Amino acid sequence: MKKTIVDAVGGTFEPLLQIGMDIDVFTSNWSYCDRLSSYAARMVSHNRIDSLLYANLFSSALNELLETVFRAHGSGGSFRCNISRLANKDRIELTIPCKGQDAQFYIDAMERLSRSDVAEQYRSALFAEGTLDPDIGLFELAVDYDASISVVRTDENTIRLIADLALEDTQA
């Protein structure tokens, strides 16, 4: 059965790809972020105007999200990555086992992303001395990729991180 997702203005996202795995397996090796993002990018880019460019951009964006999940997640449970498309917009939905302080990280990040000075926050975090902010990837997507990012708490142990990306100008 084909599952579709309706956006806020009534458009229908068509599913492209779904990957699921145990969160402890995913977070056992940093290189899984790159491998998963590269694989997904190849799968969803084949029919784009410039598929190589699209795959590179998509892989970079997904990798930032996956690295954020690698840094902030709960233990135990299933991690899912769903990718769907509506016209030139791709939606990445990451379902993350997450509670307590880990869930609060995402809620706090969304509050920071909603501020009018998001670009200044990003640049400040990017050039700051010391340890990199764990939410730097979310800021990169919001500022450099103009992504629309949201978080939904699905239950007390799980959140869903959603990023909408328009990586290709179909008007050209």
Side-chain angles (χ1 to χ4, degrees):
M1 179 177 184
K2 192 173 184 180
K3 182 180 175 189
T4 57
I5 303 162
V6 178
D7 78 346
V9 294
T12 303
F13 281 86
E14 297 294 330
L16 297 176
L17 181 69
Q18 181 176 19
I19 299 170
M21 67 181 73
D22 184 276
I23 190 70
D24 295 327
V25 171
F26 172 69
T27 58
S28 68
N29 188 330
W30 179 260
S31 69
Y32 291 160
C33 299
D34 180 55
R35 291 179 185 175
L36 181 60
S37 62
S38 295
Y39 171 78
R42 279 190 297 245
M43 295 298 107
V44 304
S45 302
H46 69 283
N47 62 347
R48 306 318 287 183
I49 295 169
D50 184 341
S51 62
L52 183 59
L53 175 61
Y54 198 88
N56 284 332
L57 292 171
F58 190 90
S59 177
S60 294
L62 180 56
N63 191 54
E64 291 300 331
L65 292 169
L66 295 175
E67 288 179 356
T68 302
V69 173
F70 190 92
R71 292 182 183 108
H73 60 85
S75 62
S78 181
F79 166 66
R80 288 189 314 273
C81 173
N82 293 329
I83 301 169
S84 54
R85 179 170 291 154
L86 172 61
N88 72 333
K89 187 186 309 179
D90 283 341
R91 174 169 285 176
I92 301 169
E93 294 185 59
L94 302 177
T95 303
I96 309 158
C98 208
K99 58 185 173 184
Q101 188 175 0
D102 294 318
Q104 191 62 44
F105 161 79
Y106 289 97
I107 294 166
D108 292 345
M110 291 308 107
E111 289 177 9
R112 290 179 61 196
L113 288 173
S114 67
R115 293 177 21 190
S116 62
D117 66 340
V118 67
E120 294 169 23
Q121 290 182 74
Y122 172 53
R123 282 190 290 276
S124 177
L126 191 60
F127 298 112
E129 300 270 335
T131 307
L132 203 58
D133 273 344
D135 55 5
I136 192 81
L138 299 176
F139 278 90
E140 181 178 344
L141 291 175
V143 174
D144 291 343
Y145 289 76
D146 198 25
S148 174
I149 303 171
S150 61
V151 168
V152 176
R153 191 169 184 87
T154 56
D155 63 40
E156 67 184 45
N157 300 315
T158 309
I159 62 147
R160 186 177 309 132
L161 176 63
I162 303 164
D164 288 341
L165 302 159
L167 300 174
E168 183 175 73
D169 183 9
T170 56
Q171 304 301 318

